Every structure is written in structure tokens, then in C-alpha cells.
Amino acid sequence: MAQTNPPFMSGVPELLLLRLLDQREMYGYELVRSVRKVTGEAISLGEGVIYPALHSLERNGALKSRRKPVGGRTRVYYALTAKGRQRLDKLRNDWRRIQGGITNALEVPSHA
Amino acid sequence: MAQTNPPFMSGVPELLLLRLLDQREMYGYELVRSVRKVTGEAISLGEGVIYPALHSLERNGALKSRRKPVGGRTRVYYALTAKGRQRLDKLRNDWRRIQGGITNALEVPSHA
DNA sequence: CGAGTATACCTCGAACTAAAAGGTATTACA
DNA sequence: TGTAATACCTTTTAGTTCGAGGTATACTCG
């Protein structure tokens, strides 16, 4: 027992990664900069977040990776699987829901 | 050292509480139901989140409380202080920023 | 050529949050 | 009388994210 659910706002790093990888395959180090860029510097995820997330996503079958030598150095590229696309849809919906809920709370003059 | 910052998405419970209390004073048990209601059931914060948050907010001077007997039972009502209003503004801005960042990441067809 | 910076991968430990459950007491109602 | 609802609170546990550290290769510039 003591069956604790994940915090209600978690999964955003995962969402961002899946979203980016839905466009094209990318490698970890690239994703670090990419997340910062596409969020307009609002969100910055360090390597200590990105790499473990990628590994976990791959273990769950949401991503598949391939090693690709580029200029003498090796990169690990990640791409979405069908399962990953489903996961992305789910997380996107979850996000919309909570985002909407908060927006509502902030905007509605709640004495109404 | 090992100076760990709070997670980038934290502070939403706090934001919701301050926002509600900016409208009128309320007591803990009421806030539990109120959060659920104003977020359209999207977010549900238990008493184990609400009460500690209220205590911490009061310790920081963002809230002040007064005990008020109602029908033989005692309620603890919380109200915003000036400091609390400042804190609300800050958290609201933080939220807008990260919310905007995520929206941007989700909507922009990032191959552009 | 050598030193420093950037790229690229990774892991571990600490800090922090939030979830759930449990605990007490009073009042309402059936 | 006994059960559900109100009202407060704390503690334990689980989970996520953060920062720092660690390795290694490539590039740049004096």
C-alpha cells in the first residue's frame, strides 16, 4: 500500500523530448540545446535530466536508438516508435488539461 | 554547495492557493474543494498538500491567519498579505513564462 | 605543439515536491 | 446510536529533477 501517484505536473520533460523527436531523429546533446531553444529559453533541461529520460523512454519502447559515427565521434540518435507516438498523444492531452485548468483558475474572477 | 534549485515546474499548488486567497479569505478544507472546482477538476490537491503549503506560506509572511468559530467548530481563515500579493505576481509570471514555452514547443512545426 | 573550449556520452547523490494515509475531534443526520 | 461530513494536522513514502562529477574525442588559436 501507500500507493503514491506521480506528481500531477510531472512528465513535461518527457513530453518535450517526444515532441521534438516526433519531427526528426536527434541525439542527446542536441536535445539539450533544442529544448532550450524551442521553449524560448523558458525551460532548460540539463544532461542529468535528458540522458536518463532517453534511456527510460527507450526501455519502455517509446524510442529506438542507433549509433551513428559523425566526424570521428559517435552520436546516439533517437527516433519515435509507434508506441512513442501514442505516449506523446497522451502526454499532450494531459498537459492541455492541466494547463487549461490552471488558466481557468487564474483568469476566472472566482467570486462568480 | 550541491546547491539544488527547485524543479522548474514547482510552485503551482502555491500559485493556486494564493490566487484563490487573492479573491477572499478562505480556510484549508474549503481550499481543497475550491482548487478542484476552479480548475474544472483538472487538478486535485489533497489536504496533505494544502495544509503544509498554507503553514509554509504563513511562515514566510505571505499569508496571515485568524481563527474563527463557526457553528461551534473552529476554522482557520487565511488572507493574503502585501508580500503574498507580490509572491502571487511573481509566480503568475513564472507560470506564464513556462506555460508559453511549452505551448511554443508543442505548436511550432520545429523543422522550420 | 600545447592549452583550453566545445562536443558527446554517461551516472550518482542530494534536494525537493507532492501523494497518500493516518490521526484527532466535532457536528449533522438518519 | 452510529456513520458520514466537516475541519484540522503530521508523517511516511515515492517520485522527479538538479547539479556536479566523470570520461573521451575533436576543434581552435596562440
Side-chain angles (χ1 to χ4, degrees):
Chain A
M1 55 207 72
Q3 136 88 341
T4 309
N5 282 340
F8 69 99
M9 296 263 296
S10 69
V12 170
E14 199 183 326
L15 171 60
L16 292 173
L17 293 180
L18 291 173
R19 163 62 181 166
L20 287 170
L21 293 174
D22 191 36
Q23 317 256 261
R24 59 183 171 84
E25 68 171 6
M26 294 174 101
Y27 58 97
Y29 196 76
E30 183 183 12
L31 283 162
V32 172
R33 291 168 305 192
S34 206
V35 164
R36 195 160 33 215
K37 189 183 169 208
V38 299
T39 61
E41 324 296 314
I43 296 170
S44 184
L45 302 178
E47 299 175 41
V49 173
I50 301 276
Y51 286 115
L54 290 173
H55 299 156
S56 146
L57 249 4
E58 184 170 28
R59 268 197 308 278
N60 300 340
L63 299 180
K64 60 181 183 313
S65 69
R66 64 188 185 97
R67 327 187 100 260
K68 192 179 170 186
V70 177
R73 191 186 275 116
T74 299
R75 295 175 179 166
V76 184
Y77 279 85
Y78 292 88
L80 272 198
T81 63
K83 203 168 169 188
R85 227 160 279 118
Q86 285 166 27
R87 179 87 181 131
L88 171 56
D89 284 345
K90 190 215 175 297
L91 287 178
R92 194 189 267 136
N93 285 336
D94 289 352
W95 168 253
R96 289 216 184 101
R97 184 167 156 71
I98 79 118
Q99 188 270 335
I102 295 174
T103 297
N104 202 55
L106 292 183
E107 288 176 1
V108 163
S110 69
H111 62 276
Chain B
M1 51 214 73
Q3 137 89 342
T4 310
N5 282 340
F8 70 99
M9 296 263 297
S10 69
V12 170
E14 201 183 324
L15 170 60
L16 292 173
L17 294 180
L18 291 173
R19 162 61 181 168
L20 286 171
L21 293 173
D22 191 36
Q23 317 255 259
R24 59 183 170 82
E25 67 172 8
M26 293 173 103
Y27 57 98
Y29 196 77
E30 184 183 12
L31 283 161
V32 172
R33 291 169 305 193
S34 206
V35 164
R36 196 160 31 215
K37 189 182 168 207
V38 298
T39 61
E41 324 295 314
I43 296 170
S44 183
L45 302 177
E47 300 176 40
V49 173
I50 301 276
Y51 286 114
L54 290 172
H55 299 156
S56 147
L57 250 4
E58 184 170 29
R59 268 197 310 277
N60 301 340
L63 298 179
K64 59 181 184 314
S65 68
R66 64 189 186 96
R67 328 188 99 259
K68 191 179 171 184
V70 177
R73 189 186 278 115
T74 300
R75 294 175 181 168
V76 184
Y77 278 85
Y78 292 89
L80 271 198
T81 62
K83 203 168 169 188
R85 227 160 279 117
Q86 286 166 26
R87 179 92 182 127
L88 171 57
D89 285 343
K90 190 215 175 298
L91 288 178
R92 195 190 266 136
N93 285 337
D94 289 353
W95 167 253
R96 289 216 184 100
R97 185 167 155 69
I98 78 120
Q99 187 270 336
I102 295 173
T103 297
N104 202 56
L106 292 183
E107 287 176 1
V108 163
S110 67
H111 61 275

